[in-house]
């Protein structure tokens, strides 16, 4: 690339040993490469059309709706079922058995027989069964307080209280969005070669995007039924500020460990984008202004980011402080010359905490869509052969790989109880992943392979006793218990961001770090931990609604407006 | 019943783990089962059979004693998953005129997916032969020659795996769904259930980190 010729300075991607620590992964922010933004960019670029052929609900919100999206080559439909859920049955837990609304994303346009079949199955979620015509299955619960507030205000002919809206940020939160073959739905492989499905989780994001429109329409419908002719229409600015909540527990954490190559591709794409921008020798006025404007809006975003969790409250305090320090520094810094972004980032690395560093890293990409957006094409995992173990590799070579990639784990004393205090297991209840205390509960026999560091250290010890010139095939014949660790080590040799380089079973583990990392790649904002292993977020807050996609300028909706309308 | 291939793989992995296979072995047993199911072959059924046969047995008892010469178990039959993973690991040893030979392999069709992955790695088709069955694969498609319907046999006294010549006739290509009978599914489920910890009130609350009311 041109900029690399213009300078002798070439800044590489950041060291995986720095990036792949849990506290940093747990500080990631959404970026241009987040899956929601990849989707909305495509929707705008390809001028996707939307329609709502069915919308039938009674005053209690019981009924169903169909939302169709017309892409250049095909149609997808969200089928939404509304239910009347007694308050005592409302739970975000995976073990819940009833929800306010249930959904499926259908491949094509459903006919009456499809709707009848899905009406028997979708409301049951895990207890139901779907077919390869369905691409996802999901459910959502109302935010009871905000829902009631918005319905009663609109019914009375007035607008909701803006501060109440900001405090929650959504009218409904999804509690699971299942894709990729779950419950009998189509496997990802069935749709992976479609352009609009190429980037990760596009089907799931589309489902949530359409769910947000359904929720807006349903709350208006119920207010209209309640208020009659005097009901007000929800203010467009308030509507746009509302996203879809998501309530996520531990089920999401193992995903990052169970899909090492995919995870590598997400992180590597973002790191590549950061390196591209840091290598720019200069910026122009428009680029600097774009950055400054979005920094200002990031400060607004942090200001309206509400959390009651003690750890998040402290993190937020630091983030707000750091973003102000960043703004102060930026106001005096030369953003135009002499590798401005690298200078800024290097300053941040020694001045700001991880949360603001990662916010800055994402912000720096914003003016450079033309340079970084194409990296979205590299975020899927298409390398099926990486799964195969190369048994011809010699023991000595694997040891060398492990010394490089698992140094932290080889230096850890795994015999100390606090280093392996936890164990991941799967409960018999709806196969819910859980985290337990290894030395206090009888769970070790059920432990899932989610401690790559500890397992790598055990493998390394076994390799020390093996002939260094022996092929791994012979080693594995007598050491089958290390097979998964050999595979991981060979993957990380090719894919340096494949592995979390931190302890995932220590007594001080914060699983919400893993959740936030994954959700930031989705494009989530406003992480609100409910405990150390349970987090609520907002998706598509401030995003355009379908009818607004064509008129929205730029691709920066994930930052709230600097000047907020309403009051 | 029609299942997604991911469902079949997830179920197979848990079942394999439930009978004591290591996690790495279980991952490959799952991929192998999925691969066979995508070819409309009896992967899930044969997996349930071999898991029942070798339930709880140590790897060393059903794996080759040595990789030199013909592969044999110390006594009894070789497990197709144990020889399959080893075959995949040793794919580079397959050279024209240098077949891998195995003696007494149970449920030999389960070796085929591993031969397929060797074929992908070698970029050459691989042939698996046992009894009257001969199957070529280039990794994706298969060519089956099985005049006597012995493909699902419970045991092959001799199995050979070798580089095959490239074929120009059309291969049978994989599909995107698999069919598993409720009975086979239940057999696998019985093994899979062993991997799940019984739920307790404490684990419901603490293990998932709940505790704050959701109803807000």
């Amino acid at each position: 690339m041109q900029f690399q010729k213009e300078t002798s300075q070439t800044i590489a991607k950041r060291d995986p040993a720095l990036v792949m620590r849990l506290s940093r992964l747990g500080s990631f922010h959404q970026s241009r490469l987040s899956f929601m933004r990849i989707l909305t960019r495509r929707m705008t670029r390809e001028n996707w059309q939307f329609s709502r052929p069915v919308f039938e609900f009674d005053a209690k919100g019981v009924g169903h709706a169909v939302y169709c999206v017309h892409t250049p080559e095909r149609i997808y439909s969200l089928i939404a079922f509304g239910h009347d859920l007694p308050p005592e049955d409302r739970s975000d837990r995976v073990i819940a058995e009833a929800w306010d609304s249930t959904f499926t994303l259908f491949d094509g346009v459903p006919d009456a027989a499809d709707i009848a079949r899905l009406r028997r199955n979708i409301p049951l979620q895990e207890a139901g069964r779907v077919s390869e015509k369905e691409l996802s299955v999901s459910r959502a619960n109302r935010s009871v307080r905000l829902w009631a507030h918005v319905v009663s205000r609109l019914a009375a002919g007035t607008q909701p209280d803006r501060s109440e809206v900001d405090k929650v940020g959504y009218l409904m939160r999804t509690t699971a969005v299942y894709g990729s073959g779950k419950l009998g739905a189509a496997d990802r492989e069935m749709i992976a070669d479609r352009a609009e499905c190429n980037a990760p989780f596009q089907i799931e994001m589309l489902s949530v995007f359409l769910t947000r429109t359904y929720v807006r329409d349903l709350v208006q419908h119920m207010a209209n039924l309640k208020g009659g002719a005097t009901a007000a229409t929800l203010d467009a600015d308030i509507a746009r500020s509302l996203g879809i909540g998501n309530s996520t527990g531990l089920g999401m954490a193992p995903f990052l460990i169970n899909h090492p190559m995919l995870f590598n591709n997400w992180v590597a794409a973002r790191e590549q984008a950061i390196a591209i921008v840091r290598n720019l020798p200069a910026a122009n006025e428009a680029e600097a202004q774009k950055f400054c404007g979005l920094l200002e809006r990031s400060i607004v975003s942090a200001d309206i980011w509400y959390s009651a969790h003690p750890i998040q409250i402290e993190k937020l305090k630091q983030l707000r402080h750091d973003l102000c320090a960043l703004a102060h520094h930026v106001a005096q810094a030369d953003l135009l010359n002499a590798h401005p972004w690298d200078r800024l980032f290097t300053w941040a690395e020694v001045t700001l905490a991880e949360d603001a560093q990662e916010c800055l890293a994402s912000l720096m990409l914003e003016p450079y869509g033309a340079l970084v957006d194409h990296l979205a094409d590299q975020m899927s995992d298409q390398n099926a052969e990486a799964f195969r173990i190369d048994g011809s590799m010699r023991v000595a070579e694997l040891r060398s790989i492990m010394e490089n990639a698992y140094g932290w784990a080889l230096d850890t004393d795994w015999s100390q109880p606090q280093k392996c205090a936890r164990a991941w297991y799967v409960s018999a209840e709806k196969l819910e992943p859980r985290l337990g205390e290894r030395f206090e509960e009888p769970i070790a026999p059920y432990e899932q392979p989610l401690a790559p560091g500890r397992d790598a250290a055990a493998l390394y010890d076994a390799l020390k006793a093996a002939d260094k010139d022996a092929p791994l095939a012979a080693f594995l014949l007598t050491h089958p218990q290390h097979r998964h660790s050999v595979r991981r080590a060979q993957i990380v040799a090719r894919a340096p961001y494949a592995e979390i380089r931190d302890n995932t079973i220590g007594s001080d583990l914060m699983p919400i770090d893993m959740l936030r990392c994954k959700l930031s790649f989705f494009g989530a904002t406003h992480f609100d931990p409910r405990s150390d292993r349970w987090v609520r977020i907002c998706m598509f807050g401030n995003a355009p609604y379908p009818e607004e996609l064509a008129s929205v300028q730029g691709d920066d909706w994930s930052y709230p407006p600097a000047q907020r309308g309403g009051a | 019943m029609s299942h997604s291939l991911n469902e079949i793989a997830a179920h197979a992995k848990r079942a394999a783990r439930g009978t004591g296979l290591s996690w790495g072995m279980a991952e490959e047993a799952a991929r192998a089962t999925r691969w066979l199911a995508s070819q409309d072959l009896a992967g899930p059924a044969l997996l349930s059979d071999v898991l029942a046969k070798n339930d709880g047995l140590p790897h060393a008892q059903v794996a080759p004693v040595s990789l030199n010469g013909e592969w044999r178990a110390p006594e009894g039959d070789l497990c197709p998953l144990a020889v399959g993973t080893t075959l995949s690991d040793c794919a580079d040893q397959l050279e024209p005129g240098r077949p891998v030979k195995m003696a007494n392999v149970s449920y030999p069709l389960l070796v085929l997916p591993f031969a397929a992955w060797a074929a992908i790695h070698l970029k050459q088709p691989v042939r698996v032969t046992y009894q009257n069955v001969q199957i070529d694969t280039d990794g994706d498609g298969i060519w089956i020659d099985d005049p006597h319907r012995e493909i699902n046999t419970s045991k092959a006294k001799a199995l050979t795996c070798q580089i095959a010549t490239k074929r120009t006739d059309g291969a049978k290509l994989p599909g995107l769904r698999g069919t598993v009978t409720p009975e086979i599914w239940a057999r696998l489920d019985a093994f899979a259930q062993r991997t799940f910890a019984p739920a307790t009130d404490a684990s419901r609350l603490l293990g998932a980190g709940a505790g704050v009311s959701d109803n807000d």
Side-chain angles (χ1 to χ4, degrees):
Chain A
M1 279 182 215
Q2 182 128 25
F3 58 82
Q4 281 170 332
K5 288 180 195 154
E6 287 170 0
T7 171
S8 58
Q9 182 185 4
T10 301
I11 298 122
K13 283 185 277 192
R14 292 188 291 175
D15 186 345
L18 173 87
V19 177
M20 303 306 289
R21 301 307 299 254
L22 281 169
S23 69
R24 185 172 294 276
L25 296 172
S27 300
F28 272 22
H29 289 253
Q30 67 79 34
S31 77
R32 296 193 70 92
L33 295 174
S34 299
F35 308 146
M36 290 178 211
R37 292 180 66 185
I38 293 171
L39 175 67
T40 55
R41 281 201 296 271
R42 179 180 288 276
M43 286 174 169
T44 303
R45 190 171 69 239
E46 296 182 346
N47 192 25
W48 288 15
Q49 300 296 308
F50 298 81
S51 59
R52 194 186 77 178
V54 182
F55 190 87
E56 296 164 358
F57 294 91
D58 67 16
K60 288 183 170 174
V62 179
H64 84 285
V66 179
Y67 288 77
C68 296
V69 45
H70 306 249
T71 76
E73 295 194 18
R74 49 184 67 81
I75 299 174
Y76 299 95
S77 302
L78 181 81
I79 304 161
F81 296 98
H83 312 288
D84 183 20
L85 183 67
E88 62 272 20
D89 289 350
R90 187 174 290 105
S91 166
D92 290 357
R93 294 284 303 280
V94 160
I95 55 176
E97 291 178 343
W99 303 269
D100 284 313
S101 290
T102 53
F103 310 90
T104 182
L105 193 75
F106 186 88
D107 193 8
V109 179
D111 60 23
D114 291 315
I115 297 284
R117 172 175 61 85
L118 294 167
R119 192 193 298 281
R120 288 194 300 272
N121 287 280
I122 296 303
L124 305 177
Q125 296 284 296
E126 291 96 331
R129 187 82 192 149
V130 294
S131 75
E132 65 264 42
K133 287 183 178 176
E134 285 77 52
L135 305 177
S136 75
V137 175
S138 59
R139 65 286 194 106
N141 282 334
R142 293 174 192 165
S143 166
V144 176
R145 277 187 313 225
L146 192 60
W147 185 274
H149 174 77
V150 172
V151 170
S152 61
R153 283 287 185 100
L154 293 179
T158 57
Q159 291 298 321
D161 182 336
R162 190 67 198 243
S163 67
E164 290 297 312
V165 170
D166 283 350
K167 213 168 174 178
V168 181
Y170 53 80
L171 285 164
M172 276 197 199
R173 57 180 171 267
T174 55
T175 69
V177 181
Y178 293 123
S180 226
K182 285 269 178 66
L183 314 176
D187 282 313
R188 172 166 167 77
E189 288 77 358
M190 210 175 255
I191 54 167
D193 60 351
R194 302 178 183 180
E196 66 274 15
C197 301
N198 177 266
F201 287 99
Q202 294 298 284
I203 286 297
E204 291 85 347
M205 297 301 116
L206 175 60
S207 164
V208 174
F209 179 82
L210 295 172
T211 298
R212 175 169 172 258
T213 306
Y214 154 79
V215 170
R216 178 198 60 175
D217 292 355
L218 184 64
V219 82
Q220 186 69 56
H221 178 72
M222 291 179 71
N224 291 349
L225 288 181
K226 188 175 177 185
T230 58
T233 300
L234 181 62
D235 173 77
D237 284 339
I238 294 178
R240 202 173 305 113
S241 77
L242 287 165
I244 283 291
N246 176 269
S247 197
T248 294
L250 283 180
M252 197 169 261
F255 183 93
L256 297 180
I257 301 177
N258 286 333
H259 299 84
M261 188 56 89
L262 184 63
F263 188 32
N264 171 80
N265 294 352
W266 297 0
V267 179
R270 181 168 176 272
E271 292 303 316
Q272 178 70 33
I274 295 166
I276 287 172
V277 172
R278 290 178 71 180
N279 274 296
L280 292 175
N284 64 34
E285 282 285 355
E287 290 158 356
Q289 273 177 19
K290 171 102 179 162
F291 171 82
C292 290
L294 292 178
L295 172 57
E296 194 184 331
R297 289 162 61 182
S298 293
I299 292 171
V300 173
S301 180
D303 279 341
I304 56 172
W305 178 344
Y306 175 83
S307 177
H309 193 271
I311 289 175
Q312 192 59 40
I313 288 170
E314 280 309 303
K315 263 185 109 164
L316 271 173
K317 203 187 284 179
Q318 181 75 47
L319 176 64
R320 288 171 183 146
H321 169 271
D322 283 357
L323 289 180
C324 288
L326 176 61
H328 185 71
H329 178 79
V330 161
Q332 302 160 7
D334 173 7
L335 288 184
L336 303 182
N337 303 297
H339 289 87
W341 306 115
D342 184 53
R343 277 190 296 108
L344 183 59
F345 198 72
T346 305
W347 171 85
E349 282 185 308
V350 295
T351 316
L352 309 179
E354 285 172 326
D355 212 336
Q357 286 178 32
E358 295 308 317
C359 184
L360 170 62
S362 288
L363 272 172
M364 283 176 6
L365 312 184
E366 293 294 347
Y368 299 106
L371 296 180
V372 304
D373 287 353
H374 70 279
L375 294 166
D377 298 340
Q378 302 171 22
M379 295 177 90
S380 289
D381 175 16
Q382 283 142 349
N383 184 2
E385 231 223 309
F387 183 80
R388 181 186 159 271
I389 289 175
D390 174 10
S392 67
M393 180 185 279
R394 305 286 147 172
V395 163
E397 190 183 344
L398 187 66
R399 282 173 58 173
S400 161
I401 287 170
M402 299 190 70
E403 285 156 12
N404 180 39
Y406 296 95
W408 70 269
L410 306 185
D411 292 338
T412 299
D413 179 1
W414 294 97
S415 68
Q416 292 185 352
Q418 72 269 28
K419 298 294 185 193
C420 54
R422 307 276 184 74
W424 295 84
Y425 65 98
V426 176
S427 80
E429 279 179 308
K430 282 201 185 181
L431 310 185
E432 188 183 39
R434 291 177 184 169
L435 187 62
E437 300 297 324
R438 179 186 311 278
F439 302 110
E440 295 166 25
E441 301 170 71
I443 49 175
Y446 305 102
E447 185 172 9
Q448 293 283 307
L450 297 171
R454 177 203 57 190
D455 295 355
L459 165 61
Y460 187 79
D461 274 349
L463 289 170
K464 278 198 280 196
D467 174 3
K468 68 180 173 52
D469 295 321
L472 289 175
F475 172 81
L476 285 169
L477 203 52
T478 50
H479 297 82
Q481 71 273 31
H482 294 306
R483 194 168 180 84
H484 70 291
S485 296
V486 169
R487 188 185 339 274
R488 297 190 76 91
Q490 290 193 338
I491 288 173
V492 82
R494 288 185 250 185
Y497 301 101
E499 201 75 284
I500 294 172
R501 303 197 181 200
D502 224 328
N503 187 354
T504 51
I505 51 168
S507 57
D508 55 354
L509 170 69
M510 295 292 289
I512 46 174
D513 287 335
M514 297 153 90
L515 307 184
R516 172 158 168 184
C517 175
K518 187 180 178 202
L519 291 164
S520 76
F521 278 103
F522 283 12
T525 55
H526 293 192
F527 302 88
D528 178 17
R530 310 288 288 171
S531 76
D532 67 345
R533 56 195 74 180
W534 186 255
V535 67
R536 287 184 182 170
I537 52 153
C538 192
M539 303 173 77
F540 289 111
N542 296 302
Y545 283 91
E547 70 277 11
E548 298 169 328
L549 277 165
S551 58
V552 166
Q553 296 294 309
D555 164 42
D556 53 16
W557 57 259
S558 46
Y559 302 88
Q563 302 294 326
R564 317 228 29 227
Chain B
M1 188 190 277
S2 165
H3 287 270
S4 74
L5 296 174
N6 279 342
E7 277 183 303
I8 292 171
H11 203 52
K13 181 172 158 185
R14 290 178 177 133
R17 176 66 181 171
T19 63
L21 264 62
S22 72
W23 280 112
M25 289 293 299
E27 287 163 357
E28 272 160 270
R31 286 226 175 184
T33 306
R34 174 197 174 118
W35 191 94
L36 289 170
S38 77
Q39 289 285 0
D40 211 17
L41 296 173
L46 297 179
L47 180 74
S48 73
D49 286 335
V50 78
L51 294 179
K53 175 178 162 69
N54 293 339
D55 189 3
L57 291 185
H59 188 79
Q61 201 169 317
V62 294
V65 176
S66 162
L67 299 180
N68 298 321
E70 190 178 45
W71 294 4
R72 288 179 173 278
E75 58 180 75
D77 299 336
L78 286 165
C79 166
L81 303 170
V83 291
T85 49
T86 307
L87 177 70
S88 170
D89 293 352
C90 298
D92 290 308
Q93 286 181 22
L94 285 173
E95 290 172 9
R98 283 191 55 197
V100 168
K101 296 191 169 190
M102 311 173 193
N104 301 321
V105 182
S106 58
Y107 305 100
L109 184 62
L110 281 165
V111 177
L112 181 63
F114 299 92
W117 301 325
I120 291 171
H121 173 67
L122 297 168
K123 298 185 176 65
Q124 294 191 82
V126 171
R127 170 169 297 173
V128 175
T129 315
Y130 56 90
Q131 291 171 209
N132 282 316
V133 182
Q134 177 181 296
I135 310 175
D136 289 356
T137 174
D138 59 5
D140 194 29
I142 52 174
W143 294 263
I144 296 185
D145 183 5
D146 173 29
H148 301 290
R149 300 186 180 280
E150 292 179 348
I151 190 167
N152 292 331
T153 183
S154 62
K155 178 170 171 174
K157 284 197 170 147
L159 183 147
T160 303
C161 192
Q162 61 196 314
I163 300 287
T165 49
K166 282 209 165 65
R167 304 198 37 165
T168 50
D169 53 331
K172 181 175 175 294
L173 294 172
L176 290 163
R177 301 289 286 186
T179 304
V180 187
T181 66
E183 184 209 342
I184 298 296
W185 194 265
R187 289 183 67 191
L188 291 170
D189 194 54
F191 296 129
Q193 288 297 328
R194 299 177 186 174
T195 66
F196 306 138
T200 62
D201 286 342
S203 78
R204 254 175 226 125
L205 201 60
L206 298 173
V212 188
S213 165
D214 301 320
N215 202 1
D216 57 354

